[in-house]
Amino acid sequence: MFKINQNIYNKIGELGVYIYTLSLFISKSGVNIGLGFLALAFLLYLWDRRKIKLTTEEKYILVILILLPIFSFFSAGGIHSFQRALEKSYRYIGLFFMPYFLYKDRVVKIVLSLFSLSIIISFINGILYYKKLKWNFNVRLISFSSHPLDEAHILAMGSLLLLALFIYTLKLKKYKELPIYLLTFILALIALVMTQGRGAWLGFLGGLFVVVFLLMKNKKLFIAGVILVGVLGIGTVTSKGLENNRYIKRFESIQNLEDTSNKIRLFMWESSIDMFKNNLPFGVGRDNASKYALEYMEKNNKYDEMEHKWAKSHLKQIAGSGNLHSMYFTTLAEEGILAFLFIGLFLFILYRQFRYCIARERDLNFYLVVGTMGMLVAFLVGGLTENVWREIWKSNMLVFSLGLYLSRVKSEN
């Protein structure tokens, strides 16, 4: 059989990782191009009769990806949902390819630099967006995506990896790399605040808790710090001087159940539970929730519970789009009982990441895995109020974080 020079597909794979990473905050098309190079390199890798050894995490993920279209086929959505589930599965295959071309320290360092560059470019583009609006910062930040929430969630995830890298360079006195990670972390935080994405803010705080917990050796000091920051945070949020601050008011609105956005979310979650109960065990099928959501709103007179005409129209629009505003409720409604295996997957990966971190020395791999664990927590917390698994910007960031984590695991085997 014709032999392929190993350097050829390694270079193609590395190029794929570079393009994928640089595009994360900039271009969906760029991510797909990077994925194409990764797929080509992986096929050449197989052609060269290289061995494939899946980690336990990869086996679990693969099972989920196989079961998703199968459940959709037997669901109320039938062939249509089966096709939709199959079409979207390509987004996640990159996490199987990345570890094979992301194991060299040289490649990892280039990838981390490109990750930072992607955020810097996105931030500059976001500022130019405000310039066009004559610096109206009441508008929520948007850069290359089509919706501020896309920006918010990927910034929340990305900033946590940057925080871990900044602490790594500070602890190990790598002063040449430190400024870029510090600068990018600050820019990501500023942009995250300006997106006004409440769910993303909560995701960042959840991920921050995990990252700081793992990085601080003195757990008593950690607990004291959490209490102190909590008290100061509550004091700041409730202070008279900030009572009209748009960002504070945006955050406070989370607890207001009469807020139109919150009320619509609650109605959508109610409808998803109704779909789950009435369509066991396979659910209503991928991208097939809209019909059932509209039926639920009509049958239970939910439009009458909205105070304003525009709010009723907005509820109908959201229900008609099938956006259930939660990764967990969406999976429950559309995949039925598979939702529990799906949620178990993420909990299992978190467990494996935690075990990895507590059992090793504090080298670069330790900080990278801490960062990816923070990213996953931010993704999961953000998934409480947004359908992050199904939205391409967020799912691309998830693939990158898991691919980076798995590359660290495989590099040591």
Side-chain angles (χ1 to χ4, degrees), residues 205-252:
L205 291 175
L208 181 64
F209 180 90
V210 170
V211 169
V212 175
F213 174 81
L214 289 171
L215 293 183
M216 286 188 69
K217 293 182 179 179
N218 190 329
K219 302 309 178 189
K220 290 181 180 179
L221 184 60
F222 167 78
I223 294 171
V226 169
I227 294 172
L228 178 61
V229 170
V231 171
L232 291 175
I234 293 171
T236 302
V237 168
T238 57
S239 65
K240 281 285 184 182
L242 293 173
E243 62 182 352
N244 293 317
N245 183 279
R246 60 177 169 271
Y247 301 114
I248 299 297
K249 290 177 73 174
R250 181 74 180 158
F251 195 81
E252 286 179 336

Tab-separated table of all heavy atoms in Angstrom, residues 205-252:
chain	number	residue	atom	x	y	z
A	205	LEU	N	-19.163	33.079	36.556
A	205	LEU	CA	-18.988	32.996	38.010
A	205	LEU	C	-18.865	31.544	38.469
A	205	LEU	O	-18.059	31.225	39.346
A	205	LEU	CB	-20.165	33.677	38.714
A	205	LEU	CG	-20.233	35.210	38.569
A	205	LEU	CD1	-21.507	35.738	39.217
A	205	LEU	CD2	-19.001	35.869	39.177
A	206	GLY	N	-19.666	30.658	37.867
A	206	GLY	CA	-19.572	29.232	38.205
A	206	GLY	C	-18.223	28.664	37.833
A	206	GLY	O	-17.589	27.943	38.619
A	207	GLY	N	-17.748	28.992	36.618
A	207	GLY	CA	-16.438	28.522	36.179
A	207	GLY	C	-15.315	29.130	36.996
A	207	GLY	O	-14.325	28.461	37.307
A	208	LEU	N	-15.466	30.411	37.365
A	208	LEU	CA	-14.457	31.092	38.183
A	208	LEU	C	-14.314	30.419	39.539
A	208	LEU	O	-13.198	30.234	40.049
A	208	LEU	CB	-14.862	32.557	38.368
A	208	LEU	CG	-13.909	33.433	39.189
A	208	LEU	CD1	-12.552	33.556	38.490
A	208	LEU	CD2	-14.510	34.817	39.422
A	209	PHE	N	-15.442	30.028	40.131
A	209	PHE	CA	-15.418	29.335	41.420
A	209	PHE	C	-14.578	28.057	41.319
A	209	PHE	O	-13.726	27.788	42.177
A	209	PHE	CB	-16.855	28.993	41.839
A	209	PHE	CG	-16.958	28.271	43.160
A	209	PHE	CD1	-17.086	28.980	44.352
A	209	PHE	CD2	-16.929	26.881	43.210
A	209	PHE	CE1	-17.177	28.312	45.567
A	209	PHE	CE2	-17.017	26.202	44.411
A	209	PHE	CZ	-17.149	26.918	45.601
A	210	VAL	N	-14.797	27.291	40.269
A	210	VAL	CA	-14.080	26.021	40.094
A	210	VAL	C	-12.597	26.258	39.843
A	210	VAL	O	-11.728	25.593	40.433
A	210	VAL	CB	-14.704	25.213	38.934
A	210	VAL	CG1	-13.827	24.019	38.567
A	210	VAL	CG2	-16.104	24.745	39.304
A	211	VAL	N	-12.278	27.213	38.956
A	211	VAL	CA	-10.879	27.489	38.618
A	211	VAL	C	-10.100	27.953	39.844
A	211	VAL	O	-9.004	27.452	40.135
A	211	VAL	CB	-10.797	28.551	37.492
A	211	VAL	CG1	-9.358	29.047	37.328
A	211	VAL	CG2	-11.293	27.967	36.183
A	212	VAL	N	-10.664	28.905	40.595
A	212	VAL	CA	-9.971	29.421	41.782
A	212	VAL	C	-9.842	28.334	42.849
A	212	VAL	O	-8.815	28.215	43.518
A	212	VAL	CB	-10.705	30.659	42.341
A	212	VAL	CG1	-10.060	31.137	43.639
A	212	VAL	CG2	-10.698	31.785	41.314
A	213	PHE	N	-10.880	27.507	42.998
A	213	PHE	CA	-10.834	26.410	43.970
A	213	PHE	C	-9.674	25.466	43.665
A	213	PHE	O	-8.941	25.038	44.567
A	213	PHE	CB	-12.157	25.647	43.959
A	213	PHE	CG	-12.152	24.411	44.831
A	213	PHE	CD1	-12.353	24.514	46.204
A	213	PHE	CD2	-11.942	23.151	44.275
A	213	PHE	CE1	-12.328	23.385	47.006
A	213	PHE	CE2	-11.921	22.015	45.080
A	213	PHE	CZ	-12.114	22.133	46.445
A	214	LEU	N	-9.507	25.123	42.395
A	214	LEU	CA	-8.457	24.180	42.009
A	214	LEU	C	-7.066	24.813	42.083
A	214	LEU	O	-6.087	24.128	42.367
A	214	LEU	CB	-8.719	23.660	40.597
A	214	LEU	CG	-9.915	22.709	40.463
A	214	LEU	CD1	-10.214	22.427	38.995
A	214	LEU	CD2	-9.646	21.397	41.197
A	215	LEU	N	-6.979	26.121	41.837
A	215	LEU	CA	-5.671	26.775	41.816
A	215	LEU	C	-5.172	27.146	43.205
A	215	LEU	O	-3.963	27.230	43.434
A	215	LEU	CB	-5.722	28.018	40.929
A	215	LEU	CG	-5.926	27.767	39.431
A	215	LEU	CD1	-5.892	29.084	38.658
A	215	LEU	CD2	-4.881	26.799	38.874
A	216	MET	N	-6.089	27.387	44.140
A	216	MET	CA	-5.684	27.770	45.496
A	216	MET	C	-5.430	26.531	46.351
A	216	MET	O	-6.317	25.699	46.530
A	216	MET	CB	-6.754	28.644	46.161
A	216	MET	CG	-6.803	30.061	45.618
A	216	MET	SD	-7.911	31.145	46.561
A	216	MET	CE	-7.010	31.275	48.115
A	217	LYS	N	-4.232	26.404	46.859
A	217	LYS	CA	-3.894	25.247	47.689
A	217	LYS	C	-4.511	25.341	49.078
A	217	LYS	O	-4.908	24.340	49.663
A	217	LYS	CB	-2.373	25.121	47.807
A	217	LYS	CG	-1.683	24.769	46.486
A	217	LYS	CD	-0.182	24.616	46.677
A	217	LYS	CE	0.499	24.232	45.373
A	217	LYS	NZ	1.967	24.094	45.533
A	218	ASN	N	-4.605	26.554	49.599
A	218	ASN	CA	-5.178	26.775	50.933
A	218	ASN	C	-6.696	26.915	50.815
A	218	ASN	O	-7.211	27.982	50.471
A	218	ASN	CB	-4.568	28.037	51.555
A	218	ASN	CG	-4.935	28.196	53.021
A	218	ASN	OD1	-6.004	27.775	53.465
A	218	ASN	ND2	-4.040	28.817	53.775
A	219	LYS	N	-7.427	25.830	51.094
A	219	LYS	CA	-8.884	25.834	50.912
A	219	LYS	C	-9.594	26.707	51.951
A	219	LYS	O	-10.662	27.241	51.670
A	219	LYS	CB	-9.420	24.398	50.961
A	219	LYS	CG	-8.802	23.469	49.931
A	219	LYS	CD	-8.846	24.038	48.518
A	219	LYS	CE	-8.178	23.100	47.515
A	219	LYS	NZ	-8.024	23.722	46.188
A	220	LYS	N	-8.993	26.844	53.130
A	220	LYS	CA	-9.597	27.724	54.142
A	220	LYS	C	-9.559	29.175	53.671
A	220	LYS	O	-10.526	29.926	53.840
A	220	LYS	CB	-8.857	27.590	55.469
A	220	LYS	CG	-9.067	26.244	56.171
A	220	LYS	CD	-8.327	26.192	57.494
A	220	LYS	CE	-8.546	24.841	58.177
A	220	LYS	NZ	-7.802	24.756	59.474
A	221	LEU	N	-8.439	29.544	53.064
A	221	LEU	CA	-8.318	30.887	52.509
A	221	LEU	C	-9.298	31.079	51.356
A	221	LEU	O	-9.881	32.161	51.190
A	221	LEU	CB	-6.881	31.120	52.030
A	221	LEU	CG	-6.548	32.523	51.509
A	221	LEU	CD1	-6.767	33.568	52.597
A	221	LEU	CD2	-5.113	32.558	50.990
A	222	PHE	N	-9.490	30.024	50.586
A	222	PHE	CA	-10.444	30.076	49.474
A	222	PHE	C	-11.857	30.354	49.991
A	222	PHE	O	-12.562	31.218	49.467
A	222	PHE	CB	-10.416	28.750	48.708
A	222	PHE	CG	-11.558	28.578	47.740
A	222	PHE	CD1	-11.548	29.225	46.515
A	222	PHE	CD2	-12.643	27.777	48.072
A	222	PHE	CE1	-12.613	29.078	45.624
A	222	PHE	CE2	-13.703	27.622	47.196
A	222	PHE	CZ	-13.684	28.269	45.966
A	223	ILE	N	-12.272	29.614	51.034
A	223	ILE	CA	-13.614	29.793	51.603
A	223	ILE	C	-13.783	31.209	52.153
A	223	ILE	O	-14.804	31.871	51.919
A	223	ILE	CB	-13.872	28.745	52.711
A	223	ILE	CG1	-13.911	27.336	52.102
A	223	ILE	CG2	-15.183	29.042	53.443
A	223	ILE	CD1	-13.939	26.220	53.129
A	224	ALA	N	-12.760	31.690	52.854
A	224	ALA	CA	-12.809	33.052	53.398
A	224	ALA	C	-12.906	34.075	52.273
A	224	ALA	O	-13.662	35.059	52.365
A	224	ALA	CB	-11.576	33.319	54.253
A	225	GLY	N	-12.164	33.835	51.209
A	225	GLY	CA	-12.191	34.742	50.056
A	225	GLY	C	-13.550	34.770	49.381
A	225	GLY	O	-14.037	35.837	48.988
A	226	VAL	N	-14.166	33.592	49.243
A	226	VAL	CA	-15.497	33.509	48.624
A	226	VAL	C	-16.518	34.291	49.451
A	226	VAL	O	-17.335	35.051	48.907
A	226	VAL	CB	-15.945	32.038	48.478
A	226	VAL	CG1	-17.428	31.947	48.101
A	226	VAL	CG2	-15.097	31.337	47.416
A	227	ILE	N	-16.460	34.118	50.768
A	227	ILE	CA	-17.392	34.829	51.659
A	227	ILE	C	-17.177	36.341	51.558
A	227	ILE	O	-18.138	37.120	51.436
A	227	ILE	CB	-17.229	34.354	53.116
A	227	ILE	CG1	-17.655	32.883	53.232
A	227	ILE	CG2	-18.053	35.231	54.064
A	227	ILE	CD1	-17.338	32.266	54.581
A	228	LEU	N	-15.904	36.750	51.577
A	228	LEU	CA	-15.586	38.174	51.515
A	228	LEU	C	-16.043	38.789	50.198
A	228	LEU	O	-16.685	39.852	50.181
A	228	LEU	CB	-14.078	38.372	51.689
A	228	LEU	CG	-13.575	39.827	51.607
A	228	LEU	CD1	-14.215	40.666	52.716
A	228	LEU	CD2	-12.056	39.865	51.688
A	229	VAL	N	-15.730	38.114	49.100
A	229	VAL	CA	-16.133	38.612	47.772
A	229	VAL	C	-17.652	38.639	47.654
A	229	VAL	O	-18.227	39.578	47.087
A	229	VAL	CB	-15.507	37.741	46.651
A	229	VAL	CG1	-16.114	38.106	45.292
A	229	VAL	CG2	-14.000	37.916	46.620
A	230	GLY	N	-18.302	37.614	48.207
A	230	GLY	CA	-19.761	37.578	48.183
A	230	GLY	C	-20.384	38.750	48.907
A	230	GLY	O	-21.313	39.397	48.403
A	231	VAL	N	-19.868	39.032	50.097
A	231	VAL	CA	-20.387	40.155	50.898
A	231	VAL	C	-20.145	41.481	50.188
A	231	VAL	O	-21.045	42.325	50.084
A	231	VAL	CB	-19.737	40.173	52.299
A	231	VAL	CG1	-20.102	41.456	53.039
A	231	VAL	CG2	-20.176	38.952	53.098
A	232	LEU	N	-18.906	41.663	49.688
A	232	LEU	CA	-18.573	42.905	48.982
A	232	LEU	C	-19.396	43.047	47.698
A	232	LEU	O	-19.836	44.148	47.349
A	232	LEU	CB	-17.080	42.938	48.641
A	232	LEU	CG	-16.123	43.076	49.830
A	232	LEU	CD1	-14.680	42.983	49.359
A	232	LEU	CD2	-16.352	44.415	50.546
A	233	GLY	N	-19.601	41.904	47.012
A	233	GLY	CA	-20.383	41.924	45.779
A	233	GLY	C	-21.822	42.340	46.021
A	233	GLY	O	-22.379	43.176	45.292
A	234	ILE	N	-22.438	41.753	47.057
A	234	ILE	CA	-23.820	42.106	47.401
A	234	ILE	C	-23.908	43.566	47.812
A	234	ILE	O	-24.831	44.296	47.419
A	234	ILE	CB	-24.343	41.188	48.527
A	234	ILE	CG1	-24.478	39.749	48.024
A	234	ILE	CG2	-25.696	41.687	49.041
A	234	ILE	CD1	-24.785	38.733	49.102
A	235	GLY	N	-22.920	44.003	48.582
A	235	GLY	CA	-22.896	45.403	49.006
A	235	GLY	C	-22.778	46.355	47.831
A	235	GLY	O	-23.440	47.403	47.788
A	236	THR	N	-21.942	45.980	46.852
A	236	THR	CA	-21.760	46.825	45.672
A	236	THR	C	-23.021	46.870	44.827
A	236	THR	O	-23.459	47.941	44.382
A	236	THR	CB	-20.586	46.296	44.820
A	236	THR	OG1	-19.400	46.268	45.619
A	236	THR	CG2	-20.365	47.173	43.600
A	237	VAL	N	-23.623	45.696	44.610
A	237	VAL	CA	-24.814	45.607	43.765
A	237	VAL	C	-25.984	46.377	44.358
A	237	VAL	O	-26.782	46.991	43.636
A	237	VAL	CB	-25.205	44.121	43.553
A	237	VAL	CG1	-26.590	43.998	42.927
A	237	VAL	CG2	-24.167	43.430	42.671
A	238	THR	N	-26.102	46.366	45.685
A	238	THR	CA	-27.250	47.005	46.343
A	238	THR	C	-26.976	48.448	46.761
A	238	THR	O	-27.831	49.084	47.381
A	238	THR	CB	-27.664	46.199	47.587
A	238	THR	OG1	-26.535	46.082	48.478
A	238	THR	CG2	-28.135	44.815	47.196
A	239	SER	N	-25.796	48.964	46.440
A	239	SER	CA	-25.459	50.323	46.850
A	239	SER	C	-26.275	51.351	46.074
A	239	SER	O	-26.664	51.129	44.927
A	239	SER	CB	-23.962	50.584	46.645
A	239	SER	OG	-23.626	50.538	45.273
A	240	LYS	N	-26.522	52.508	46.708
A	240	LYS	CA	-27.318	53.575	46.112
A	240	LYS	C	-26.682	54.117	44.837
A	240	LYS	O	-27.358	54.434	43.862
A	240	LYS	CB	-27.485	54.723	47.115
A	240	LYS	CG	-28.541	54.470	48.185
A	240	LYS	CD	-29.924	54.621	47.592
A	240	LYS	CE	-30.990	54.474	48.691
A	240	LYS	NZ	-32.354	54.577	48.112
A	241	GLY	N	-25.358	54.205	44.857
A	241	GLY	CA	-24.667	54.788	43.715
A	241	GLY	C	-24.796	53.994	42.433
A	241	GLY	O	-24.613	54.528	41.341
A	242	LEU	N	-25.108	52.711	42.561
A	242	LEU	CA	-25.199	51.847	41.372
A	242	LEU	C	-26.612	51.343	41.105
A	242	LEU	O	-26.804	50.458	40.273
A	242	LEU	CB	-24.248	50.647	41.534
A	242	LEU	CG	-22.750	50.973	41.545
A	242	LEU	CD1	-21.949	49.721	41.883
A	242	LEU	CD2	-22.303	51.540	40.208
A	243	GLU	N	-27.590	51.909	41.780
A	243	GLU	CA	-28.953	51.378	41.654
A	243	GLU	C	-29.527	51.547	40.248
A	243	GLU	O	-30.433	50.806	39.851
A	243	GLU	CB	-29.888	52.022	42.677
A	243	GLU	CG	-30.058	53.520	42.529
A	243	GLU	CD	-30.975	54.087	43.611
A	243	GLU	OE1	-31.580	53.288	44.358
A	243	GLU	OE2	-31.069	55.322	43.714
A	244	ASN	N	-28.993	52.526	39.489
A	244	ASN	CA	-29.487	52.742	38.125
A	244	ASN	C	-28.500	52.278	37.064
A	244	ASN	O	-28.703	52.540	35.867
A	244	ASN	CB	-29.807	54.230	37.910
A	244	ASN	CG	-30.983	54.675	38.758
A	244	ASN	OD1	-31.987	53.973	38.861
A	244	ASN	ND2	-30.854	55.845	39.374
A	245	ASN	N	-27.452	51.608	37.497
A	245	ASN	CA	-26.472	51.094	36.544
A	245	ASN	C	-27.100	50.002	35.689
A	245	ASN	O	-27.691	49.060	36.207
A	245	ASN	CB	-25.258	50.535	37.303
A	245	ASN	CG	-24.173	50.040	36.374
A	245	ASN	OD1	-24.262	48.925	35.861
A	245	ASN	ND2	-23.160	50.853	36.172
A	246	ARG	N	-26.977	50.134	34.361
A	246	ARG	CA	-27.677	49.203	33.462
A	246	ARG	C	-27.186	47.762	33.620
A	246	ARG	O	-27.956	46.814	33.460
A	246	ARG	CB	-27.541	49.651	32.007
A	246	ARG	CG	-26.122	49.743	31.480
A	246	ARG	CD	-26.123	50.138	30.001
A	246	ARG	NE	-24.791	50.475	29.526
A	246	ARG	CZ	-24.275	51.687	29.582
A	246	ARG	NH1	-24.991	52.675	30.080
A	246	ARG	NH2	-23.058	51.932	29.159
A	247	TYR	N	-25.906	47.581	33.943
A	247	TYR	CA	-25.369	46.231	34.098
A	247	TYR	C	-25.854	45.601	35.405
A	247	TYR	O	-26.188	44.410	35.436
A	247	TYR	CB	-23.839	46.271	34.046
A	247	TYR	CG	-23.314	46.853	32.754
A	247	TYR	CD1	-22.624	48.061	32.738
A	247	TYR	CD2	-23.527	46.205	31.536
A	247	TYR	CE1	-22.149	48.604	31.556
A	247	TYR	CE2	-23.057	46.738	30.345
A	247	TYR	CZ	-22.381	47.945	30.361
A	247	TYR	OH	-21.924	48.482	29.188
A	248	ILE	N	-25.914	46.407	36.464
A	248	ILE	CA	-26.418	45.911	37.749
A	248	ILE	C	-27.898	45.559	37.628
A	248	ILE	O	-28.352	44.503	38.094
A	248	ILE	CB	-26.205	46.949	38.869
A	248	ILE	CG1	-24.705	47.236	39.052
A	248	ILE	CG2	-26.839	46.472	40.168
A	248	ILE	CD1	-23.889	46.060	39.498
A	249	LYS	N	-28.655	46.445	36.985
A	249	LYS	CA	-30.092	46.201	36.815
A	249	LYS	C	-30.327	44.953	35.958
A	249	LYS	O	-31.259	44.197	36.199
A	249	LYS	CB	-30.756	47.423	36.169
A	249	LYS	CG	-30.827	48.635	37.092
A	249	LYS	CD	-31.430	49.834	36.407
A	249	LYS	CE	-32.934	49.660	36.227
A	249	LYS	NZ	-33.554	50.892	35.692
A	250	ARG	N	-29.466	44.761	34.976
A	250	ARG	CA	-29.575	43.572	34.128
A	250	ARG	C	-29.358	42.309	34.964
A	250	ARG	O	-30.091	41.327	34.823
A	250	ARG	CB	-28.530	43.659	33.013
A	250	ARG	CG	-28.518	42.510	32.039
A	250	ARG	CD	-29.670	42.565	31.101
A	250	ARG	NE	-29.626	41.432	30.164
A	250	ARG	CZ	-30.658	40.963	29.520
A	250	ARG	NH1	-31.854	41.513	29.674
A	250	ARG	NH2	-30.545	39.947	28.708
A	251	PHE	N	-28.383	42.346	35.845
A	251	PHE	CA	-28.097	41.191	36.688
A	251	PHE	C	-29.220	40.954	37.699
A	251	PHE	O	-29.630	39.807	37.934
A	251	PHE	CB	-26.765	41.401	37.421
A	251	PHE	CG	-26.206	40.157	38.027
A	251	PHE	CD1	-25.506	39.254	37.252
A	251	PHE	CD2	-26.386	39.870	39.371
A	251	PHE	CE1	-24.988	38.085	37.810
A	251	PHE	CE2	-25.871	38.719	39.937
A	251	PHE	CZ	-25.172	37.824	39.153
A	252	GLU	N	-29.718	42.045	38.290
A	252	GLU	CA	-30.792	41.916	39.287
A	252	GLU	C	-32.073	41.352	38.682
A	252	GLU	O	-32.860	40.707	39.375
A	252	GLU	CB	-31.085	43.288	39.913
A	252	GLU	CG	-30.021	43.758	40.888
A	252	GLU	CD	-30.339	45.137	41.458
A	252	GLU	OE1	-31.086	45.892	40.791
A	252	GLU	OE2	-29.849	45.447	42.559
